[in-house]
């Protein structure tokens, strides 16, 4: 069989929006073939297929929508996580 999956992640050292990095990685059979990183601001391909997808997505509405994910997805969830962790420590 074949395995396809995506991983969204937020890496942070503080709850400040500038200190958060959002990434979305696409994998096929355990090989990452394309990634969006908020620090780069665009998709980067790592395989022939990934490079083609990155070019298409960087020239379409996908990249604009992905750039907003840092604030929508990460900032919201990091705030919840840090608040929860601080109240329990």
């Amino acid at each position: 069989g074949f395995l396809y999956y995506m991983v969204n992640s937020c890496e942070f050292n503080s709850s400040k929006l500038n200190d958060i990095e959002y990434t979305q990685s696409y994998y096929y059979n355990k090989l990452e073939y394309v990634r969006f990183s908020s620090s780069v601001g665009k998709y980067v391909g790592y395989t022939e297929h990934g490079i083609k997808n990155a070019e298409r997505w960087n020239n379409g509405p996908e990249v604009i929508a992905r750039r907003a994910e840092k604030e929508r997805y990460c900032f919201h969830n990091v705030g919840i996580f840090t608040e929860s962790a601080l109240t329990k420590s």
Side-chain angles (χ1 to χ4, degrees):
F2 300 98
L3 182 62
Y4 165 79
Y5 58 99
M6 289 185 319
V7 176
N8 293 307
S9 66
C10 303
E11 294 183 28
F12 60 96
N13 290 324
S14 75
S15 60
K16 295 178 184 173
L17 188 59
N18 291 341
D19 295 336
I20 300 171
E21 181 184 16
Y22 168 77
T23 59
Q24 182 181 52
S25 299
Y26 293 78
Y27 293 86
Y28 183 74
N29 284 348
K30 299 181 184 178
L31 177 66
E32 182 179 26
Y33 67 93
V34 68
R35 174 191 299 176
F36 175 86
S37 168
S38 64
S39 61
V40 177
K42 66 179 186 175
Y43 288 93
V44 177
Y46 300 109
T47 65
E48 183 179 341
H49 180 67
I51 292 168
K52 288 178 184 178
N53 279 333
E55 286 178 17
R56 187 168 41 100
W57 294 341
N58 286 330
N59 292 312
E62 294 86 357
V63 75
I64 295 166
R66 200 57 48 215
R67 287 177 183 154
E69 288 297 284
K70 177 179 171 179
E71 187 169 346
R72 187 196 69 80
Y73 179 74
C74 292
F75 192 61
H76 172 72
N77 288 317
V78 166
I80 292 170
F81 176 77
T82 55
E83 183 179 319
S84 174
L86 291 175
T87 59
K88 291 185 172 66
S89 60

